Amino acid sequence: MTGIHAPFGSKEWLASYGQLKTWHLSLLVLYTAIAIVNVQDQGQSDPTLIALASAGLVAYPVIGWLAWQGARRFEARLGPLPVLVLYLITMAGLFLVATLIYLVIENRYLVGGF
């Protein structure tokens, strides 16, 4: 994250790419743990809602990876730390919005209206 990027396919590029994947996987574990606790508290067993939540958990790291690739373009102008902070804030906001959307869908599904 120094603003100087290694050539595609080089050992340095592979090492930084591997670190990014490890970092995203650790973040995914954290968010998955939060989601599991949330699902256990609610005691949901409806297959449709479980599939919807699972699709969101699969899509989130993909969106995170794409967002990180986009954020790295601003690293030279802003610096690595501000880019990382903005990225983390954005991803946390996305997680919050996705959770709220899921809760609205769940409420509509269980109460009626779908």
Side-chain angles (χ1 to χ4, degrees):
M1 290 187 8
T2 62
I4 300 172
H5 301 292
F8 180 77
S10 68
K11 288 183 181 182
E12 294 83 13
W13 181 84
L14 289 173
S16 68
Y17 184 72
Q19 290 173 352
L20 181 63
K21 288 176 79 175
T22 303
W23 183 82
H24 272 99
L25 287 175
S26 62
L27 189 62
L28 177 62
V29 168
L30 173 68
Y31 284 136
T32 303
I34 293 169
I36 287 172
V37 168
N38 187 22
V39 169
Q40 286 177 342
D41 287 344
Q42 293 186 12
Q44 283 296 332
S45 61
D46 188 270
T48 305
L49 293 175
I50 292 172
L52 181 63
S54 299
L57 286 174
V58 168
Y60 190 77
V62 172
I63 293 169
W65 181 79
L66 290 172
W68 180 249
Q69 296 304 314
R72 289 184 68 182
R73 293 184 297 155
F74 300 103
E75 197 171 346
R77 279 187 266 164
L78 299 175
L81 187 59
V83 168
L84 179 62
V85 169
L86 289 172
Y87 170 77
L88 291 174
I89 290 170
T90 303
M91 292 307 293
L94 176 66
F95 188 76
L96 177 64
V97 169
T99 302
L100 293 174
I101 290 171
Y102 173 80
L103 291 174
V104 168
I105 291 171
E106 178 187 43
N107 187 33
R108 294 282 182 139
Y109 182 79
L110 294 176
V111 174
F114 276 144

